[in-house]
Each structure stands twice: as C-alpha cells, then as structure tokens.
Amino acid sequence: MGRSILRERLERAGPRRDASSFMRWRSLAVVLAAAVAGRILVHRLLRRVGAISGDLAEINISDEHAQIAQEHDPRQVMQLVDNINASLDMLDRERQFAFNIAHEIRSPLAGIRVTVEEATTRPGEADYPRVLEAVLRGVDRLEALVAALLLIARSRAAQADWERIDLCELVRQEIGYRNDPIPTQVICIPGVEVMAMRTRLCQVITNLVDNAQHHATNQVQVHVERSDGNARIVVSDDGSGVPEKDRERIFDRLYQLKTISQRGCAGTGLGLAITRDIAKAHHGAVWVESSPLGGACFIVQLPIAAH
C-alpha cells in the first residue's frame, strides 16, 4: 500500500522535474549563445575600431587629404566615421588655408626685401622716398593680413558677449563714423533687433561697406529690414557686380575677383570669408545677388531676437 502511494507520487513528480530541468537547460543555452554572440560582436567592433585608428594614423603621417572608407558597420560606427571624415575635411581646409596665407605673407615680405636690397646695393642712386613708399605698401599689406587673421581667430567668441542690438541704430552709428569717397545712404526700419556680438556685427558692416566702396561708381546703400521673420542687412552698390559663377567662391578665404576695384588697393581676400564666419556664428547666412542699383547686393540674414 505504501509502495503504491510512493510510486504514484514519483510518477506524478517525474514529468514536472523533467520539464523544469528542460527549461533551466534551455535558459542556460540561450544565455551562453547570447554571451558568445556578444563576444563575437565586441571582437568585430574592436577590430573595426582598431582599423579606423590605423587608417587615421596613416592619414596623419601622410599629410595628405584622405578619408576613412565606410563599411557595413553598425549605425553608431557609421556615425563615428562620418564625424571623423567631417573633421578631416575641416582640418584639410585649415591646412590649405595656412599654406595660402603663408604664401600671401611671403609676397609683401619678398617685395620689401627686394626694394631694400636694391637701395642698399646702390645707396647713392636710390630714390629713398620711392623706397619708403614701397616698403610702407608692403607693411600695409602685412598689417591687413594680420588683422584679418586675428578676426578669424576671434570669430567664435563666448556667448557671454552677446546682447540685444537694434540693427538700425548700429548701422547708422557705424556709417556715421566713416569718411568714404561715396556717401553711403542708410534706409532702415527701427526696432529690428537681434541677439548678437556687437563687435562682430560692426565688422560685418565694415567689411561689406568697404567692399561696396571699392567697387561702386556713384552709389552705396545699406538697408535694414525684416523678411520672413528674420532681420536683414542689405548692402548694395552700382559697380560691376559679381558674376553668377563666382557668387559662392567669393566667400572662400583668399579668393579675389579678377575685376579691378574703382578705388583703393586690393583687399586681403579675407573680408567676405570673415563675414560668412560671423553670420554662421550668429545662426544666420550671407549671400550675394544682383543689385537694383546695377552692381552687387550683399545680404546678411540673422534671426530676429525673441521678445
């Protein structure tokens, strides 16, 4: 009787133990499979990261513009490669700019050296007023390049320097300080306010009005207006204008149009590049169109200040 009861209980418990054991073994197998798969994935990711690091080291040593090739990577690794390639592009542009600016600085230095050496070789025959005039032209060129480089270096100033600015008041103030050969007409709407760095906006106005004065024949105008919820500074002249094929390139550093300015010496080729950098730092944009006056029309667009 006792044996029959025990046997029944064992028979009833047996399948349950078998099912419980099966579930435990299955769970263990899943965990082990996940661990192996995770280890393989980590190994592949580490190997890919090592390859990216090696490619980056080779690019740095070669000193040539190159990029890291995309592969069938996880999304996060693809984003990493994209960000590295964007940084490489930026570094290549800065390296090319450093090369170009070094060439620009060497040119006036070479001119000064040749002029001074000629004067010292034949001191009795030298026309010293002409020599000094040539040296001063070279110094002016160097000074302009250095000033432009300093502005580029400072174009990403701290946000603490920002303030609410009425563009109409600022433009009238800056134009009032100038003594240009062609009077600049200011047409503006009061109350167009932006959050900006005052010194940077003053530089934008200076750069664009200087450019207009160089190329204008008889007229220069500055408008301050609202357009589609944005603030705009529009500088127009009646000069030769900017050919459509050059309207993007003129904002490249050291790029200069082959046209002859109406007055003054050639610029540094950095003013418009600095203007674009400042506009971007203010979450805005700058571009050039044809002017109703017949020449160029430069438009700086900035977000209106929130009330």
Side-chain angles (χ1 to χ4, degrees):
M1 180 73 178
R3 290 181 179 179
S4 298
I5 294 173
L6 178 61
R7 183 182 302 168
E8 288 177 2
R9 289 181 178 176
L10 289 174
E11 287 176 353
R12 285 199 299 267
R16 291 180 183 176
R17 286 203 306 273
D18 291 342
S20 177
S21 297
F22 175 75
M23 293 298 295
R24 285 199 297 272
W25 280 108
R26 188 174 70 173
S27 298
L28 180 60
V30 169
V31 170
L32 289 174
V36 171
R39 187 176 181 83
I40 293 172
L41 179 61
V42 169
H43 178 70
R44 288 179 179 175
L45 287 175
L46 289 176
R47 187 171 58 186
R48 176 61 175 144
V49 170
I52 292 171
S53 178
D55 291 344
L56 191 58
E58 289 182 7
I59 292 171
N60 290 333
I61 293 172
S62 68
D63 198 34
E64 295 180 358
H65 180 50
Q67 289 198 322
I68 297 172
Q70 285 280 14
E71 296 183 4
H72 297 293
D73 296 316
R75 180 172 55 85
Q76 292 83 354
V77 176
M78 293 180 68
Q79 288 176 345
L80 173 64
V81 172
D82 287 340
N83 289 334
I84 291 174
N85 285 336
S87 298
L88 290 173
D89 283 339
M90 182 186 68
L91 289 173
D92 184 68
R93 289 195 299 270
E94 293 301 321
R95 181 165 50 195
Q96 187 62 40
F97 173 64
F99 174 82
N100 292 337
I101 201 69
H103 176 75
E104 288 292 317
I105 290 174
R106 286 181 63 184
S107 296
L109 285 175
I112 292 172
R113 174 178 285 278
V114 169
T115 302
V116 173
E117 285 180 348
E118 287 179 352
T120 55
T121 301
R122 297 188 297 272
E125 302 175 14
D127 182 354
Y128 285 103
R130 184 191 63 81
V131 170
L132 292 175
E133 184 180 345
V135 170
L136 282 175
R137 283 199 301 270
V139 170
D140 287 343
R141 174 70 174 168
L142 289 170
E143 189 176 37
L145 285 168
V146 170
L149 287 172
L150 286 173
L151 283 170
I152 289 173
R154 295 170 181 168
S155 62
R156 295 183 179 181
Q159 189 133 349
D161 295 330
W162 290 36
E163 59 182 289
R164 183 181 290 269
I165 297 172
D166 186 309
L167 286 183
C168 185
E169 292 180 3
L170 183 66
V171 168
R172 289 191 183 279
Q173 174 182 301
E174 290 302 304
I175 299 302
Y177 292 150
R178 301 175 63 92
N179 184 21
D180 293 314
I182 298 176
T184 299
Q185 182 183 12
V186 177
I187 304 168
C188 65
I189 302 172
V192 179
E193 295 183 336
V194 297
M195 289 300 296
M197 294 174 277
R198 181 176 295 272
T199 56
R200 303 296 173 260
L201 285 194
C202 290
Q203 187 61 43
V204 166
I205 296 166
T206 297
N207 290 346
L208 294 183
V209 176
D210 281 350
N211 183 74
Q213 289 287 335
H214 276 303
H215 296 283
T217 303
N218 296 301
Q219 294 184 75
V220 174
Q221 290 182 352
V222 181
H223 292 250
V224 175
E225 59 192 29
R226 287 189 183 91
S227 178
D228 299 327
N230 292 296
R232 283 187 175 183
I233 302 173
V234 182
V235 181
S236 305
D237 64 69
D238 63 346
S240 56
V242 179
E244 194 163 348
K245 63 182 180 64
D246 292 315
R247 289 182 181 175
E248 183 62 29
R249 294 185 65 193
I250 59 171
F251 294 101
D252 293 342
R253 293 172 179 177
L254 300 177
Y255 182 79
Q256 291 178 292
L257 289 175
K258 299 299 185 285
T259 56
I260 300 173
S261 64
Q262 295 291 329
R263 58 194 57 80
C265 60
T268 61
L270 292 171
L272 293 177
I274 292 170
T275 297
R276 171 162 283 185
D277 286 346
I278 294 172
K280 286 183 177 179
H282 286 77
H283 314 293
V286 58
W287 65 91
V288 61
E289 300 175 353
S290 296
S291 167
L293 301 180
C297 174
F298 286 85
I299 301 170
V300 178
Q301 181 167 282
L302 304 171
I304 289 280
H307 292 288

